[in-house]
Amino acid sequence: MGEPLRIGMVGAGKISGAYLDTLARLDTVRLTAVTDLDPDRAKAAAMQAPGDVHVAGSVVDLVSREDVDAVLNLTIPAAHAGVALVALSMGKHVYGEKPLAATREEAESVLAAARAGGLRVGCAPDTVLGTGTQTARKAVDDGLIGTPVAATAFMASAGPEDWHPDPDFYYRPGGGPLLDMGPYYLSALVHLLGPVVRVTGAASRPRAEREIGSGPRAGTRLAVEVDTHVSGILEHAGGALSTLVMSFDVQAARLPRIEVHGTEGSLSVPDPNWFEGLVELNRGGDWAPLPASAGYQTAGRGTGLADMAEAIADGRPHRASAELAHHVLDVMLTLLDAAHGGRSLPVTTRCERPERVDLGAVQHG
């Protein structure tokens, strides 16, 4: 491709370091500007990146720059839609951290603004583009387990407050285990089995407060404003049923991350929070590892942004798309609605399964 896509990064918090590492080794994208509510964090991020990176005083300052083609939105979930809309209004493409937005209405406004401006919007997670989920996807596509019948997806932890110095947003609207970690698992399930058409759920909030366990705010207590244990049954368009558990209330577990079961066999799928991992197949005997057969190799956070940059240049759909993220958000919010109403509900949005990543696909760098 030609010139790299010039990136302005909004938000220089904990996750930004992983993005900076990836962007620094790719020649399809180049960081040109950064801003953060904390100017010192923005300066530190600018120094970490190669080349001359401008430290902008505000989001408006950053998106107004002529050397910014796309905005990398790494703000807290409650700010995702607001930042995206400002960027789109200035004619910039957007790639953001998950979830796409905190509400359906916000997500739909982002999609509408992108369509109106002829702009791209991408959204994490891009971990599902690595060799772990993509190898499992190819195994399903190749019929190695026959017709998919069911899947399980489990994320069970005690919560992030033990290790994260500022975990407040995890327990505010837009947070919680489902909206925080669910996008990884649901994006993987859509890649593996296609979109979701109906959900049934249950949810609970066992503790009214949480205590920060590390960092300068250790001992500070936080009010819990979201459900912290969510269980669901998902019906996929192809007929497969997935069982989902997302929890910040489990002290220890030995649950598999994802398994997919078909008429001829079963797949063990690695943690979708990581790009790589062991995929195993069982067709009625012993579990056997599958060699990596699909996915971006040596991928990292920001691989989805680089895929979007290449897709813009090639005129093809990008894989970590807003349409997929919108569907995943709708599935999660519909699941919570079903849980709170004690009923089964249809999922009204649809998306296409993203194109599989061939193993030979290369991100330039």
Side-chain angles (χ1 to χ4, degrees):
M1 59 182 288
E3 292 297 315
L5 194 70
R6 298 169 297 180
I7 307 300
M9 187 172 76
V10 179
K14 192 175 182 66
I15 193 62
S16 66
Y19 277 88
L20 291 170
D21 288 345
T22 301
L23 300 185
R25 58 183 172 81
L26 297 174
D27 57 21
T28 55
V29 289
R30 177 166 61 89
L31 189 69
T32 56
V34 61
T35 190
D36 189 273
L37 292 174
D38 182 343
D40 290 336
R41 290 201 308 194
K43 292 175 185 175
M47 292 178 64
Q48 184 178 338
D52 183 17
V53 178
H54 175 76
V55 177
S58 68
V59 173
V60 173
D61 177 18
L62 181 138
V63 301
S64 301
R65 293 182 61 82
E66 293 185 359
D67 64 351
V68 170
D69 302 313
V71 169
L72 174 58
N73 184 4
L74 304 183
T75 57
I76 62 173
H80 285 178
V83 171
L85 288 170
V86 171
L88 291 166
S89 73
M90 296 298 293
K92 312 298 184 181
H93 305 293
V94 176
Y95 183 92
E97 257 301 318
K98 45 75 187 169
L100 178 63
T103 68
R104 294 182 183 88
E105 294 75 18
E106 288 181 346
E108 288 161 3
S109 68
V110 170
L111 288 171
R115 286 193 295 266
L119 298 164
R120 300 287 188 114
V121 176
C123 188
D126 53 5
T127 48
V128 295
L129 303 182
T131 55
T133 299
Q134 291 296 306
T135 293
R137 158 82 181 266
K138 188 174 187 302
V140 172
D141 291 349
D142 289 348
L144 297 187
I145 63 169
T147 301
V149 173
T152 56
F154 300 118
M155 193 294 298
S157 78
E161 62 270 24
D162 282 346
W163 57 268
H164 199 296
D166 294 298
D168 310 57
F169 67 93
Y170 287 103
Y171 297 104
R172 292 175 180 166
L178 182 61
L179 286 173
D180 177 54
M181 295 301 296
Y184 295 101
Y185 290 80
L186 288 165
S187 296
L189 289 173
V190 171
H191 271 269
L192 294 165
L193 300 173
V196 177
V197 298
R198 178 170 289 275
V199 297
T200 304
S204 64
R205 196 179 309 180
R207 285 179 278 172
E209 290 185 330
R210 298 285 183 125
E211 184 176 312
I212 299 177
S214 64
R217 299 174 61 210
T220 302
R221 300 194 68 81
L222 309 172
V224 176
E225 303 175 33
V226 294
D227 294 318
T228 52
H229 187 100
V230 181
S231 299
I233 303 295
L234 319 175
E235 180 183 343
H236 294 267
L241 300 177
S242 290
T243 300
L244 180 79
V245 175
M246 299 284 114
S247 183
F248 285 164
D249 290 302
V250 175
Q251 295 301 314
R254 294 179 175 175
L255 295 167
R257 294 299 186 176
I258 296 178
E259 288 183 350
V260 183
H261 307 286
T263 54
E264 305 296 330
S266 295
L267 280 172
S268 175
V269 185
D271 187 344
N273 194 22
W274 302 99
F275 289 89
E276 301 174 349
L278 181 64
V279 179
E280 293 182 290
L281 172 68
N282 190 314
R283 291 174 56 89
D286 295 329
W287 288 95
L290 294 179
S293 59
Y296 286 122
Q297 297 172 288
T298 65
R301 307 278 173 164
T303 285
L305 173 58
D307 179 86
M308 189 175 84
E310 294 176 11
I312 292 170
D314 296 340
R316 64 166 173 83
H318 56 287
R319 294 178 174 92
S321 69
E323 290 73 22
L324 172 58
H326 181 214
H327 178 65
V328 166
L329 176 66
D330 191 31
V331 171
M332 295 188 295
L333 295 178
T334 304
L335 178 56
L336 290 174
D337 288 343
H340 297 156
R343 62 193 189 278
S344 175
L345 290 174
V347 177
T348 58
T349 59
R350 293 291 182 273
C351 71
E352 299 293 329
R353 287 174 82 200
E355 181 184 358
R356 192 177 70 219
V357 181
D358 293 332
L359 187 65
V362 176
Q363 292 195 310
H364 301 283

